Amino acid sequence: MSAAEAAALAARFKALADPNRLRILSIVSSSPEAETCVCDLPEPLGLGQPTVSHHLKILVEAGLLNREKRGVWAYYSLVPGALNSLADTLAPKP
Amino acid sequence: MSAAEAAALAARFKALADPNRLRILSIVSSSPEAETCVCDLPEPLGLGQPTVSHHLKILVEAGLLNREKRGVWAYYSLVPGALNSLADTLAPKP
DNA sequence: ACTAGACATCGATGAACCTCGATGTATCGA
DNA sequence: TCGATACATCGAGGTTCATCGATGTCTAGT
């Protein structure tokens, strides 16, 4: 594995290396429409709104979440296949 | 996902969130006997010996590597199934 | 016993990161 | 147009982390 490949992969794992970001992914993936409004996140996480926004930005930049703005609200959803491709990198399927 | 579960999972991903540690895992897993001597790591990584030792310790504490000392040398090998179980957590199989 | 080599640990330094309050931007309704 | 709400961005403070040089520990051979 080259240094560049390792750096790119490490950047994606770094996005997962935070408890609150994992909980965000868990909440989003278990939501009815597989999407979650930002306003529903601070309370279960026990975090401030700016902090939640910060984590969401990191997850989007890692290619794990999509952001869609509708009116005043912003909805986040899982990027299809993103977690699967990361899992394949960890344990390639035969 | 509870806060405790998220913290435990994040700790394991944190071990993967470093380019040099990913390269160490890559080198170990592609070695002939699936084990690598510490002395073979500093040169390809471009790191000092104490730094390599530091990363190896983190990977062992994360449950990803085994450490076996034979004589003066220390050999590290993958913990069987560790990466697979982590991959399953990311993308559960049907 | 002494030396040399392999590896681990310690202490320090500089960067990266999480969190927060304050502020900025945009949308909707009155 | 004005005010209120939802979200993003900014700047700061405190912690964590990667890396290194110096040092400690253990083993093998002389």
Side-chain angles (χ1 to χ4, degrees), chain B residues 2-64:
Chain B
S2 74
E5 290 170 341
L9 193 53
R12 302 168 71 190
F13 282 124
K14 204 175 299 183
L16 296 173
D18 182 276
N20 290 315
R21 287 198 287 271
L22 290 176
R23 297 186 77 188
I24 288 176
L25 291 176
S26 170
I27 292 175
V28 171
S29 67
S30 66
S31 294
E33 304 293 331
E35 70 176 12
T36 305
C37 175
V38 179
C39 58
D40 291 331
L41 290 173
E43 188 264 335
L45 296 174
L47 294 177
Q49 174 265 322
T51 305
V52 169
S53 203
H54 165 74
H55 286 308
L56 288 169
K57 180 182 184 136
I58 290 177
L59 290 170
V60 168
E61 287 174 347
L64 299 175

Side-chain angles (χ1 to χ4, degrees), chain B residues 74-88:
Chain B
Y75 295 88
Y76 286 82
S77 57
L78 289 182
V79 171
L83 290 179
N84 285 277
S85 83
L86 213 44
D88 280 4

